[in-house]
Each structure stands twice: as C-alpha cells, then as structure tokens.
Amino acid sequence: MFDIQPKQFKKILVGVDDAPDARAAFSYAVDKAKRDNAELGIVSVYETNEVNVYQALNKDYVHSSREELKKRINEYVEAAIDYGVDPKKITAIIDEGDRPSERICHHVIPEFHPDLLIVGSIGKPGNRYTVGSQASYMVKHSGTSVFVIRTDADNQ
C-alpha cells in the first residue's frame, strides 16, 4: 500500500461569472480554501469586446457596468465569508480585456501567484463555445494546477 497525501493548496484563484458552472467552480473553490486554510482570489473579467464604441464613449455606461461587476464580485466575497473563509484571506480581482482566459493567464496569475486555478468549463449563456475554449486555454497556459468544474447543464 502507499500513503495517500492530498495536496494542500496555499493560494487558490477562481474565475467567476454568472454561469452555472462558474458558480459550481466558486462553490468548490470556497470549500477547498476553507479546508486548506488557503488564500482565495476571486476574479472576474470585464469583457471590453462586448462594449460598442458608443457605450465606451458614454462614461455613465462604462462606470455603471464596472460598478455592477464590482457589486457582483463583492457578493461572491460575502458568500465566501458566510461559508467560513477568513475575510483577511480573500482578494477580489476585477480585470479588463477582450479574452478572459488570456487576461487571467497573462495578467492575473502573474500578479496573484496562485498554486491552483479553478474555473468552470462553460461560461455565460451566449458564450457557450468561446468560453469552453477559454477553459481549455487556461489549462494549457496558466502555468499552475487547474481544476475545471462541469455541471449537469454542460452535458445537455
């Protein structure tokens, strides 16, 4: 027989949006962070490719959208605290760019230095195919361990 010693992670990063699998990834990350007494980074990317030129010129639109994202990520932080993760070990991260997977791999990970990245396999409705490829991109390019979480909705 051999001795089973599950890896303890010290710094976990989870990507969130409002997709069912992202919520499942968040739930797993929060539980893992609590069990491992790990730091938890919660990241969401403000996707600028969905903002048209008129919206970009409208300061109220851009401000409102970023504020909505900030409010949403704070809800994730509060949920993690309510579950029992130490608030001092939680970092909310909002990044901005066209491709969330590239932003996470090339900007967020080098700054946060996680030893585990947890993401959902499919993203928000309407982005079903591109976000699946984004999860694949992160597995290949993150430079760290990656858990990809699927939900039953992914198998339909």
Side-chain angles (χ1 to χ4, degrees):
M1 278 279 155
F2 55 91
D3 193 21
I4 296 175
Q5 298 178 357
K7 180 166 174 63
Q8 296 273 309
F9 294 96
K10 295 179 179 133
K11 212 166 183 185
I12 298 169
L13 180 65
V14 61
V16 297
D17 58 25
D18 289 327
D21 68 326
R23 289 179 189 219
F26 173 75
S27 293
Y28 183 85
V30 168
D31 185 65
K32 183 71 173 154
K34 183 179 174 182
R35 284 186 284 124
D36 288 4
N37 195 29
E39 290 183 52
L40 177 65
I42 304 168
V43 63
S44 192
V45 177
Y46 178 65
E47 296 182 60
T48 55
N49 64 338
E50 294 181 7
V51 178
N52 68 42
V53 68
Y54 300 107
Q55 293 167 328
L57 294 173
N58 181 341
K59 291 178 185 170
D60 291 334
Y61 175 83
V62 172
H63 179 73
S64 173
S65 296
R66 282 191 65 80
E67 285 303 310
E68 287 174 18
L69 183 58
K70 187 176 181 179
K71 180 181 173 189
R72 190 71 181 126
I73 206 159
N74 285 334
E75 291 173 359
Y76 282 102
V77 169
E78 288 301 316
I81 292 169
D82 290 346
Y83 191 78
V85 177
D86 182 350
K88 293 179 231 156
K89 291 188 171 193
I90 301 173
T91 303
I93 303 165
I94 296 176
D95 197 69
E96 185 173 318
D98 289 343
R99 294 183 179 96
S101 59
E102 292 179 19
R103 295 299 304 179
I104 289 170
C105 288
H106 303 298
H107 297 274
V108 177
I109 288 175
E111 289 183 23
F112 188 70
H113 303 287
D115 53 354
L116 175 63
L117 171 63
I118 302 174
V119 294
S121 61
I122 305 292
K124 296 179 285 189
N127 291 338
R128 183 165 192 82
Y129 300 105
T130 60
V131 179
S133 63
Q134 288 185 39
S136 177
Y137 182 92
M138 288 185 274
V139 167
K140 186 173 182 179
H141 298 282
S142 68
T144 191
S145 296
V146 181
F147 289 179
V148 178
I149 306 296
R150 294 187 176 276
T151 63
D152 290 338
D154 295 341
N155 299 322
Q156 296 177 2

